[in-house]
Amino acid sequence: MPGAVLPFAETDCGSCPIRYRAVCSDCSNEELAVLDAIKSYKTYKAGSTIVWAGDEMQFIGSVVVGVVSLSKTMEDGRRQMIGLLLPSDFVGRPHRSVAPYDVVAVSDVTLCRFRKVPFEKLLDETPSIRSRLLEMTLDELDAAREWMLLLGRKTAREKIASLLLVFARRENHLQLSRALGQVIFDLPLSREKMADYLGLTLETVSRQMSALVRERVIALHSRRRIIVPDFARLMNETGDDADGGLPA
Amino acid sequence: MPGAVLPFAETDCGSCPIRYRAVCSDCSNEELAVLDAIKSYKTYKAGSTIVWAGDEMQFIGSVVVGVVSLSKTMEDGRRQMIGLLLPSDFVGRPHRSVAPYDVVAVSDVTLCRFRKVPFEKLLDETPSIRSRLLEMTLDELDAAREWMLLLGRKTAREKIASLLLVFARRENHLQLSRALGQVIFDLPLSREKMADYLGLTLETVSRQMSALVRERVIALHSRRRIIVPDFARLMNETGDDADGGLPA
DNA sequence: CGTCGGCTTGATTGTGCTCAACCCGGGTGG
DNA sequence: CCACCCGGGTTGAGCACAATCAAGCCGACG
């Protein structure tokens, strides 16, 4: 009812949509078979909390479908999102049971979950998984550091533009719809969640979105559907230099 | 001349001061011997840049002595420190040649450097190193996320208190000097570097430091030497809850 | 039709930034 | 020895950007 029900059906790893990008991407068929034995799929409704900060995390796994946020909350309610996980991203940490942050399903989400203990054992025995996990963790670390620059130094407008660009880039890569100018995509986040991610209030987010519309940097199809008429124009608003600030 | 010359002399790994905390901490004696063959020590003067953002990083290694900062700079000069490395911390990233940030010696620094290619080969072959590196990277990621909360949501005063607490904690752990109340330590950072790390201006840092002195949360021995008369009092100023916000 | 949640917009406030002057201590050169 | 300078640090006045407080809009749904 809330949005289309996701058409993801459980499959064997061979036909998994994230087969070639997730933590298991370098696995041989034999290794996949072992993973297969300890995995199970679970879906979460949009808005539901997957794990609360401080609670024990019984599993480790991959995002198969949907968007997951990681966030911390201070005693007085101030909240900061500290990670946004998209399909193929990894959830949880080996050899650590208590989650240091809330894990929340932003949209309807399907996780591929591995039971913790067997997975840790497998991790210790399987170089291909461990290497891939290291690689993914280093990528996450780079992304976190990029976000630290945004949180510490960028203006509200630059923050908004940077976030929009993240989604626009992703869309641009997935779709071949790149007239190389125009991009259209759906925002997976509410204004409030955007504020959580950017270290702003939701009013400031709303105002800056309106300003970007007024100045024709973006247009709104609906509240959540964004049109970027000129990719380069949006990039100019992020404060990053031309090559995007994320050197490969 | 500037500060005491560091008395670190090259040693074999067995008597290295970071032997049991660095990336090599889980290595057997045989593995250490291999590392020994590809390592070399290098020292850097306080203030010198070890690697510039965008430049090729020819090595990978560990901080043995001193403090190293990682920071990003925007075109217009806004700067954000995104990591602070202390002895035993790891510098560089396997299978990546270009540094995405400046690496700067904050104090006089000694690095234990491994030549990149042989180290990567070793990493692929040696589970103990790979596991340890994964563990350290996950710790760095947790620290980065903690800092994201600080950058996005904390007030100037809370930021300062949090940073002071980082150093106070470290001192408190190293020294047995814990009267459990009073702690004394040297700030390794100038006001400007503190500002870079906290996402503030140096004026704001100076003002908040003065305010904390005025309210007797801290006292200054000299500009750089801090006295914390009451550890708990300082913790109260960080905005974190009692258990410190860094659940193990 | 009324309500409710997500979002927008307005008025006002306040925290931290900017610009600017000045202080302090150490090193240098006359 | 003193005068000077210079870098790091402090302090002040005014300002600007984003937060806060508050009202109202819009679309979905009961």
Side-chain angles (χ1 to χ4, degrees):
Chain A
M1 228 66 108
V5 173
L6 296 167
F8 180 75
E10 306 202 1
T11 55
D12 73 311
C13 296
S15 54
C16 176
I18 57 170
R19 167 73 179 91
Y20 295 105
R21 289 196 296 153
V23 70
C24 49
S25 67
D26 295 338
C27 286
S28 66
N29 286 334
E30 297 79 55
E31 290 163 350
L32 276 189
V34 182
L35 277 175
D36 226 332
I38 62 168
K39 90 178 188 204
S40 66
Y41 293 101
K42 177 152 186 192
T43 65
Y44 299 84
K45 291 257 269 294
S48 63
T49 296
I50 299 173
V51 187
W52 293 97
D55 280 5
E56 195 166 341
M57 197 150 182
Q58 311 276 5
F59 66 90
I60 273 174
S62 296
V63 179
V64 182
V65 177
V67 179
V68 172
S69 72
L70 313 178
S71 58
K72 286 174 174 269
T73 307
M74 294 171 69
E75 290 173 302
D76 60 7
R78 281 175 281 173
R79 210 171 328 139
Q80 177 64 49
M81 202 183 290
I82 54 176
L84 194 66
L85 307 183
L86 300 172
S88 83
D89 284 339
F90 191 75
V91 187
R93 171 169 177 167
H95 304 111
R96 142 94 52 93
S97 54
V98 174
Y101 39 68
D102 294 328
V103 181
V104 178
V106 169
S107 63
D108 287 350
V109 164
T110 301
L111 293 188
C112 171
R113 314 198 316 178
F114 306 110
R115 280 181 296 127
K116 199 159 174 305
V117 174
F119 182 81
E120 285 167 355
K121 182 158 172 291
L122 198 58
L123 189 64
D124 289 338
E125 293 164 354
T126 317
S128 57
I129 299 179
R130 202 168 30 206
S131 289
R132 179 72 186 127
L133 183 57
L134 175 58
E135 198 70 16
M136 292 176 75
T137 304
L138 286 163
D139 284 342
E140 282 280 313
L141 184 55
D142 282 347
R145 285 171 164 166
E146 188 69 26
W147 217 250
M148 287 170 70
L149 174 63
L150 177 145
L151 291 173
R153 294 301 180 191
K154 287 191 177 180
T155 64
R157 163 180 275 246
E158 288 168 342
K159 286 177 175 183
I160 299 282
S162 299
L163 181 59
L164 293 177
L165 193 61
V166 167
F167 298 122
R169 272 234 176 76
R170 189 176 171 83
E171 188 68 18
N172 211 1
H173 284 163
L174 296 181
Q175 306 287 91
L176 312 181
S177 77
R178 41 172 127 178
L180 213 82
Q182 174 142 328
V183 189
I184 303 182
F185 62 91
D186 279 310
L187 264 184
L189 302 179
S190 68
R191 300 292 187 264
E192 186 186 16
K193 296 283 175 198
M194 289 174 69
D196 283 352
Y197 202 15
L198 298 172
L200 297 170
T201 60
L202 67 91
E203 293 97 326
T204 299
V205 170
S206 186
R207 269 186 253 277
Q208 293 295 336
M209 291 288 288
S210 300
L212 289 174
V213 170
R214 220 176 302 126
E215 298 169 34
R216 314 241 183 264
V217 179
I218 60 173
L220 300 188
H221 220 275
S222 70
R223 294 260 157 78
R224 292 290 192 90
R225 170 156 287 232
I226 311 289
I227 304 166
V228 180
D230 181 356
F231 206 87
R233 178 96 186 281
L234 180 59
M235 288 197 350
N236 272 344
E237 299 291 344
T238 64
D240 295 323
D241 42 4
D243 56 15
L246 262 175
Chain B
M1 230 65 107
V5 173
L6 296 167
F8 180 75
E10 307 201 1
T11 55
D12 72 313
C13 297
S15 54
C16 177
I18 57 171
R19 167 75 180 88
Y20 295 104
R21 290 196 296 152
V23 69
C24 49
S25 66
D26 295 337
C27 287
S28 66
N29 285 335
E30 298 79 53
E31 290 163 349
L32 276 188
V34 182
L35 276 176
D36 224 334
I38 62 168
K39 93 180 188 204
S40 66
Y41 293 102
K42 177 153 183 189
T43 65
Y44 299 84
K45 290 258 270 296
S48 62
T49 297
I50 299 173
V51 187
W52 294 97
D55 279 6
E56 195 165 342
M57 197 150 181
Q58 312 275 5
F59 65 89
I60 273 174
S62 297
V63 179
V64 182
V65 176
V67 179
V68 172
S69 72
L70 313 178
S71 58
K72 287 174 174 271
T73 307
M74 295 171 69
E75 290 173 301
D76 59 9
R78 281 177 281 174
R79 210 171 329 139
Q80 178 63 50
M81 203 183 290
I82 55 175
L84 194 66
L85 306 184
L86 300 173
S88 83
D89 285 339
F90 191 75
V91 187
R93 170 168 178 170
H95 303 112
R96 144 94 50 93
S97 54
V98 174
Y101 38 68
D102 294 328
V103 181
V104 178
V106 169
S107 63
D108 287 350
V109 163
T110 301
L111 295 187
C112 171
R113 316 199 314 178
F114 305 111
R115 280 180 297 129
K116 198 158 174 304
V117 173
F119 182 80
E120 285 166 357
K121 182 159 172 291
L122 199 57
L123 189 63
D124 290 337
E125 293 164 354
T126 317
S128 58
I129 300 178
R130 203 167 30 206
S131 291
R132 179 72 185 127
L133 183 55
L134 175 58
E135 197 70 16
M136 292 176 75
T137 305
L138 286 163
D139 284 343
E140 282 280 312
L141 185 54
D142 283 345
R145 286 170 164 166
E146 188 69 28
W147 217 249
M148 287 170 69
L149 174 63
L150 177 146
L151 291 172
R153 294 300 181 193
K154 287 191 178 180
T155 64
R157 163 180 273 247
E158 289 169 342
K159 287 177 174 183
I160 299 283
S162 299
L163 181 60
L164 293 177
L165 192 62
V166 167
F167 299 123
R169 272 233 176 75
R170 190 176 171 81
E171 188 67 19
N172 211 2
H173 284 162
L174 295 182
Q175 306 286 93
L176 312 181
S177 75
R178 40 171 127 179
L180 213 81
Q182 173 143 330
V183 189
I184 303 182
F185 62 91
D186 279 311
L187 264 183
L189 303 179
S190 68
R191 301 293 187 262
E192 186 186 17
K193 295 283 175 199
M194 291 175 69
D196 283 353
Y197 202 15
L198 298 172
L200 297 171
T201 59
L202 66 92
E203 293 96 327
T204 298
V205 170
S206 186
R207 269 186 254 276
Q208 293 295 336
M209 291 287 288
S210 299
L212 289 175
V213 169
R214 220 176 302 125
E215 298 169 35
R216 314 240 183 268
V217 178
I218 60 173
L220 300 187
H221 218 275
S222 70
R223 295 261 155 79
R224 292 290 191 91
R225 169 155 288 230
I226 311 289
I227 303 166
V228 180
D230 182 354
F231 207 85
R233 178 96 187 281
L234 180 59
M235 288 197 352
N236 272 344
E237 299 290 346
T238 63
D240 295 323
D241 42 5
D243 56 15
L246 262 176

